[in-house]
Amino acid sequence: MFYSSPRLTLFELLKWCSTTTTELKAPDGYDHIYWCSSGALCLGAICMKISEEKKRRVNVYLPGYFCGQSLRYLRNLPVNLNFYALNESLLPNYTEFENTQNIDIFVHVHYFGQIAGQKKSSDFCKKYNAKLIEDCAHIMSPQLSHKWEGDYLIFSPHKHFPVPTVSLIISRDKCFSTETHEVEKFPIRWMLREALKKIIPFKPNVRWKRIWNKSEEVIKFTKSNSKLEMVTSNYLENYLPNSILRKTNSMDLIELLTEISDWSLLQKQDSLNCPYLVGMICSSPKIAERRFSLLNQNMQLVMQWPDLPTELRDNPGLTEQCTSWLDRTLFFFNHQQLNTSRMNKKISKIIQNPGF
């Protein structure tokens, strides 16, 4: 069984028993750290704060290639959702904004471990007097770079380490008060579920499909458990060994995958500081669907981009770009706990299939 993200092991469980505290240091120029229960909540909290300050609906610009479920809080806020296209490097296509008049918030996403383009986005935001949010959900740690530019940085450590869902905002100025937030309980249920997965492993029922997401949720501030914050801070500050493992794992996998025809790397690997996933974009949706089915026949080895915002359908050109990526790209798991030797052997057998 291969998992999409690191799992709680006995060794990792010992970190929860430790009394040693590690202070999470904010990058230079940032003075505030706020813990939340999810990245979607972080995004919603920031947009709500800016809307309240401006006392009006605000115009938020996000890349079209974005998870629709991550917008569930924004859909219930005084926010106008706008989407922009990306170039081949998955960076903003600024030429689309030539006739744009009013931008309040600009979201710049660092895809799959690539930290790039934030300086240009920062200069762009200054031109419009807009706030810049750097979505760093695919970045392992704030310490991976010293060149952050955003007014707000959003990280999602649970995507990289064996911890329950937890996210944080790192901001230059005070964002909001957390004194009245509901505090989550110690994550004992999460620990029990993790233990159960070891005893009763199950294969996820994954199907190749295109999902349009329009979910809505009323924003309710929840603050993460203090022990969870302490454990997560330790992971974030001591990220380097795990980062090196991910880089090594991805290089071994890429060496195997790039020998196969009819697909290519979604991103240049030299641009990835610490690869979150390894994306392979196929020549056609038909090839992608066939390979997805073969690779996941006995156990899940690859995943698809989860969903797209339903609002994209109002923009045919942008819809074409985003659905093309969704329909043609397979993402191979990559994290520090993977037994890559075993996984690569499994993949090697599957790709020998004449119909691959």
Side-chain angles (χ1 to χ4, degrees):
M1 178 66 68
F2 298 104
Y3 294 104
S4 59
S5 58
R7 295 299 176 189
L8 186 67
T9 63
L10 183 59
F11 175 76
E12 305 294 345
L13 183 61
L14 293 176
K15 291 182 171 64
W16 292 82
C17 303
S18 172
T19 56
T20 305
T21 59
T22 302
E23 182 184 358
L24 178 61
K25 301 180 184 67
D28 291 343
Y30 295 85
D31 298 319
H32 305 276
I33 297 175
Y34 302 92
W35 294 87
C36 290
S37 58
S38 72
L41 183 60
C42 289
L43 183 59
I46 295 168
C47 293
M48 188 173 77
K49 170 190 178 284
I50 295 172
S51 175
E52 289 175 346
E53 288 176 347
K54 293 182 177 290
K55 298 179 180 178
R56 61 171 172 83
R57 292 184 71 86
V58 291
N59 296 304
V60 180
Y61 281 77
L62 311 103
Y65 195 52
F66 202 82
C67 285
Q69 59 188 322
S70 296
L71 304 178
R72 61 186 182 273
Y73 296 112
L74 296 190
R75 294 186 177 108
N76 263 313
L77 292 174
V79 162
N80 298 320
L81 293 175
N82 303 275
F83 299 91
Y84 63 83
L86 301 169
N87 62 24
E88 290 183 356
S89 299
L90 299 183
L91 294 173
N93 183 356
Y94 298 99
T95 59
E96 290 209 346
F97 296 93
E98 291 175 358
N99 299 318
T100 303
Q101 299 297 318
N102 191 2
I103 301 176
D104 296 303
I105 301 167
F106 188 81
V107 180
H108 178 110
V109 179
H110 295 293
Y111 288 96
F112 312 117
Q114 173 182 266
I115 304 175
Q118 64 269 31
K119 180 62 171 68
K120 192 169 182 179
S121 285
S122 177
D123 293 340
F124 173 82
C125 286
K126 288 173 184 175
K127 175 182 174 183
Y128 288 92
N129 195 29
K131 294 293 185 180
L132 174 61
I133 299 174
E134 291 185 58
D135 184 333
C136 309
H138 294 173
I139 307 301
M140 180 175 265
S141 168
Q143 317 306 341
L144 263 171
S145 175
H146 300 289
K147 296 181 179 180
W148 305 114
E149 294 281 345
D151 298 284
Y152 307 93
L153 314 175
I154 298 176
F155 290 87
S156 296
H158 61 277
K159 294 180 181 291
H160 307 273
F161 304 105
V163 293
T165 305
V166 61
S167 295
L168 62 147
I169 300 169
I170 299 177
S171 64
R172 296 189 183 277
D173 301 317
K174 188 174 181 180
C175 188
F176 50 77
S177 172
T178 58
E179 294 175 1
T180 58
H181 292 191
E182 180 182 334
V183 179
E184 292 188 336
K185 297 177 181 178
F186 186 82
I188 189 67
R189 288 186 178 181
W190 171 79
M191 290 182 171
L192 291 173
R193 285 196 300 269
E194 288 290 296
L196 206 59
K197 288 173 185 176
K198 296 288 184 183
I199 302 169
I200 314 172
F202 79 104
K203 177 182 176 290
N205 182 22
V206 290
R207 293 188 296 120
W208 183 261
K209 54 187 174 181
R210 182 191 296 177
I211 298 176
W212 296 98
N213 188 288
K214 59 179 181 180
S215 60
E216 295 184 20
E217 194 171 337
V218 176
I219 195 164
K220 179 183 178 182
F221 292 110
T222 52
K223 189 177 181 299
S224 52
N225 177 273
S226 58
K227 184 65 176 181
L228 170 58
E229 292 175 11
M230 188 184 79
V231 172
T232 305
S233 295
N234 180 51
Y235 279 121
L236 293 173
E237 284 294 319
N238 301 290
Y239 74 93
L240 190 56
N242 291 321
S243 172
I244 292 171
L245 276 172
R246 280 186 178 241
K247 186 74 173 179
T248 302
N249 289 348
S250 68
M251 290 173 65
D252 291 343
L253 180 60
I254 288 165
E255 186 178 353
L256 170 64
L257 299 177
T258 50
E259 295 179 355
I260 307 163
S261 62
D262 292 323
W263 65 13
S264 59
L265 285 168
L266 180 65
Q267 295 166 289
K268 294 179 180 178
Q269 290 303 292
D270 56 8
S271 70
L272 300 182
N273 303 58
C274 176
Y276 171 54
L277 296 168
V278 176
M280 300 298 294
I281 186 163
C282 298
S283 303
S284 71
K286 188 175 181 180
I287 292 172
E289 183 175 2
R290 182 174 72 242
R291 292 184 174 180
F292 180 88
S293 298
L294 288 169
L295 287 162
N296 290 334
Q297 190 168 20
N298 296 315
M299 61 181 65
Q300 188 177 7
L301 296 171
V302 293
M303 61 176 284
Q304 195 179 11
W305 185 261
D307 59 43
L308 291 172
T310 191
E311 294 87 352
L312 277 187
R313 291 172 161 177
D314 295 332
N315 186 329
L318 192 50
T319 296
E320 183 179 357
Q321 180 188 62
C322 298
T323 54
S324 176
W325 279 327
L326 187 147
D327 293 344
R328 295 193 296 132
T329 308
L330 307 183
F331 293 102
F332 286 80
F333 302 149
N334 177 52
H335 57 79
Q336 60 272 19
Q337 288 183 357
L338 276 179
N339 183 334
T340 52
S341 175
R342 180 169 163 260
M343 187 174 77
N344 288 355
K345 285 179 182 177
K346 294 279 185 187
I347 295 171
S348 294
K349 288 182 179 179
I350 294 168
I351 63 180
Q352 299 303 318
N353 188 312
F356 189 78

